[in-house]
Amino acid sequence: MVKHAVEANFDGLVGPTHNYAGLSWGNVASKSNVSSVSNPKEAALQGLAKMKRLADRGYVQGVLPPHERPHVPTLRALGFEGTDARVLEQAAKSSPSILAAVSSASPMWTANAATVSPSADTSDHRVHFTPANLSAKFHRSIEHTVTGRALKSIFADESYFAHHPALPSVSHFGDEGAANHTRLCAGYGEPGVELFVYGQVAFNEQAPAPKRYPARQTLEASRAVARLHGLKDQHAVFAQQNPEAIDGGVFHNDVIAVGNGNTLFYHELAFLKEGEVLSDIRERLTGAELEAVRVSSADVPLEDAVASYLFNSQLLNTPDGMLLAVPGECREVASVSRYLDDLVKSGGPITSVEVFDVKQSMRNGGGPACLRLRVVLNDEELKAINGGVLLTDELYERLTTWVEAHYRDKLSQDDLGDPMLLEEVRKALDELTGIMGLGSIYDFQL
């Protein structure tokens, strides 16, 4: 039986240690802004403003908490000893690169938090979550434990929600979560097609692969997640990302394609076998025809797509068609701005474009789509979640006040070893779990 459902967006709240360490090889924006002074307070407020704007439009908007950073338990596991202050001092002096990695606010990009399959697709008719192991990058590989705790706290009722541990944290099963996964459907509550996009086949060295930058997602990981979630063949399509796109800076599929409902908005260089991918989706999509909105290189060169993050946008239903929520950089790149004007006039499924200011995140390589995890919930499932994480006017005001009270407006690499910063972070997060009703999810709380 088809149930009414909504797609909730759970945005990551930018953490107090948001900084520009340039940790992500293959992410052009991340590397180009290395060592700049960041503004964590502005970054968090920009993210909250984006959430509030969408909540005010009637979308179900949730909040996912930042992680404890610097992550002292990781430093201790790497041999740094003594008090917390001493551990930070040692790391700052002898291994500043490691300290930068365990201080990253990267959990704000919750498109990488997990892969989520709605109950309409799964064999046991529960919503399934698998936190991404993010094994391609050290600074992100330490996220999945706390991500899993947060998701279990929010989606706690086992009669509606199923939680899996992250896949083995090795390159053969590199998993980047929903950044390489999208769902197409006639309606959110109807069975859909889950599109898993991978960069390489780990157990086949002869298979096509990028040459300049690493492929972070493997076919083996995507298939494992589909099995864990109980997806039958008619609910899953596995598509290889074009190696040329990865080498052009498209480190995740959500930098070159985005889907919503029965619409797939993508660049012509998104997939290695474009025709086959579209055919596989059309074969499995029921109740609606696939609307494939293809952007050519002639209209938007690949480098312009990457520079503007055109496809790292949110595609949202409105009463009058679909809204494309784009980062401000899309209006700063001539070819992209021109394309967007033509897109709205084209008579296709995307009927409006709105600009969102997320510059602090963009400088680190994450646009509007990076900042949110999509979770399709029917009415019963929505009632079953921890309501303390859903953005209301009251929660927005409380979180804004919380950010203003606890966040610095300037942060450099030299600040990461400051024991006072760690104390500030822990005090802030302890208060945040109370505000959001999350319980004890951080290592320092356990």
Side-chain angles (χ1 to χ4, degrees):
M1 183 180 69
V2 175
K3 297 183 178 180
H4 175 262
V6 296
E7 184 178 79
N9 287 291
F10 285 80
D11 281 39
L13 187 54
V14 180
T17 60
H18 163 65
N19 71 94
Y20 299 128
L23 299 170
S24 194
W25 174 246
N27 181 328
V28 177
S30 172
K31 300 302 287 187
S32 62
N33 290 294
V34 64
S35 297
S36 299
V37 175
S38 66
N39 187 331
K41 182 178 292 186
E42 182 181 49
L45 294 177
Q46 284 177 353
L48 280 168
K50 168 184 171 288
M51 296 184 226
K52 180 66 162 57
R53 193 164 151 192
L54 292 176
D56 287 346
R57 294 279 296 264
Y59 298 105
V60 179
Q61 179 68 61
V63 184
L64 289 178
H67 291 199
E68 176 194 356
R69 296 291 184 270
H71 196 238
V72 175
T74 297
L75 291 174
R76 292 188 182 281
L78 295 175
F80 297 100
E81 300 177 327
T83 64
D84 289 346
R86 177 66 179 147
V87 166
L88 292 175
E89 180 187 356
Q90 291 174 25
K93 183 177 181 180
S94 66
S95 303
S97 295
I98 293 177
L99 178 59
V102 302
S103 302
S104 173
S106 56
M108 67 183 177
W109 296 307
T110 56
N112 298 117
T115 303
V116 186
S117 293
S119 56
D121 298 349
T122 61
S123 56
D124 65 0
H125 302 297
R126 291 189 294 169
V127 183
H128 282 246
F129 299 83
T130 298
N133 62 30
L134 298 167
S135 62
K137 302 293 174 187
F138 167 62
H139 70 286
R140 303 219 63 181
S141 69
I142 64 176
E143 294 177 19
H144 62 83
T145 299
V146 172
T147 294
R149 290 178 196 157
L151 291 174
K152 286 179 180 178
S153 174
I154 295 167
F155 305 96
D157 192 330
E158 293 182 1
S159 60
Y160 294 106
F161 309 113
H163 295 271
H164 306 278
L167 299 180
S169 191
V170 294
S171 60
H172 287 75
F173 293 98
D175 178 25
E176 299 287 309
N180 284 326
H181 170 269
T182 195
R183 180 175 186 260
L184 300 155
C185 57
Y188 293 135
E190 299 180 45
V193 180
E194 299 191 26
L195 177 62
F196 293 83
V197 183
Y198 62 93
Q200 67 175 354
V201 184
F203 285 95
N204 182 358
E205 294 180 0
Q206 307 306 313
K211 294 180 172 60
R212 182 183 182 191
Y213 293 133
R216 303 187 188 183
Q217 182 86 23
T218 67
L219 171 61
E220 290 82 355
S222 296
R223 288 196 178 279
V225 172
R227 284 193 295 271
L228 288 168
H229 291 194
L231 301 181
K232 295 181 180 178
D233 181 66
Q234 68 263 32
H235 295 306
V237 169
F238 301 92
Q240 181 160 6
Q241 197 173 348
N242 192 326
E244 181 183 343
I246 296 175
D247 283 337
V250 182
F251 54 100
H252 290 139
N253 182 63
D254 67 3
V255 180
I256 201 164
V258 59
N260 176 53
N262 66 328
T263 298
L264 181 64
F265 178 54
Y266 70 101
H267 193 275
E268 68 171 335
L269 294 177
F271 308 110
L272 183 61
K273 298 180 180 178
E274 177 189 353
E276 188 176 304
V277 172
L278 298 180
S279 177
D280 286 348
I281 295 171
R282 288 189 171 106
E283 183 182 316
R284 290 166 174 77
L285 187 61
T286 58
E289 291 292 323
L290 176 67
E291 291 265 16
V293 182
R294 181 183 193 264
V295 182
S296 71
S297 296
D299 286 333
V300 179
L302 180 64
E303 56 267 30
D304 287 358
V306 173
S308 66
Y309 267 37
L310 167 62
F311 296 94
N312 198 249
S313 303
Q314 290 183 246
L315 194 54
L316 302 159
N317 289 342
T318 76
D320 304 312
M322 290 192 190
L323 162 68
L324 190 67
V326 303
E329 286 74 2
C330 283
R331 287 302 184 186
E332 297 170 7
V333 178
S335 67
V336 174
S337 186
R338 196 163 48 242
Y339 175 81
L340 289 174
D341 291 337
D342 292 339
L343 177 67
V344 172
K345 299 173 188 173
S346 68
I350 301 173
T351 55
S352 59
V353 171
E354 287 191 23
V355 172
F356 287 75
D357 179 10
V358 288
K359 274 189 170 55
Q360 286 285 324
S361 176
M362 283 288 289
R363 287 174 187 162
N364 239 348
C370 284
L371 288 163
R372 61 92 175 95
L373 178 69
R374 296 185 285 184
V375 184
V376 170
L377 300 165
N378 64 39
D379 294 342
E380 294 174 353
E381 293 158 354
L382 185 58
K383 290 177 183 176
I385 74 170
N386 172 359
V389 301
L390 295 179
L391 196 70
T392 59
D393 289 346
E394 180 186 1
L395 181 59
Y396 173 76
E397 293 299 331
R398 290 190 73 183
L399 291 178
T400 299
T401 300
W402 174 81
V403 169
E404 293 280 7
H406 293 291
Y407 280 51
R408 299 185 181 188
D409 57 14
K410 288 182 181 179
L411 197 70
S412 70
Q413 300 301 293
D414 293 338
D415 296 325
L416 301 178
D418 179 5
M420 287 299 297
L421 177 64
L422 179 64
E423 287 186 28
E424 291 167 19
V425 169
R426 287 179 173 173
K427 181 180 179 182
L429 295 182
D430 207 33
E431 187 177 316
L432 180 67
T433 52
I435 292 172
M436 297 174 65
L438 293 172
S440 298
I441 61 171
Y442 299 112
D443 293 303
F444 74 89
Q445 294 176 316
L446 300 176

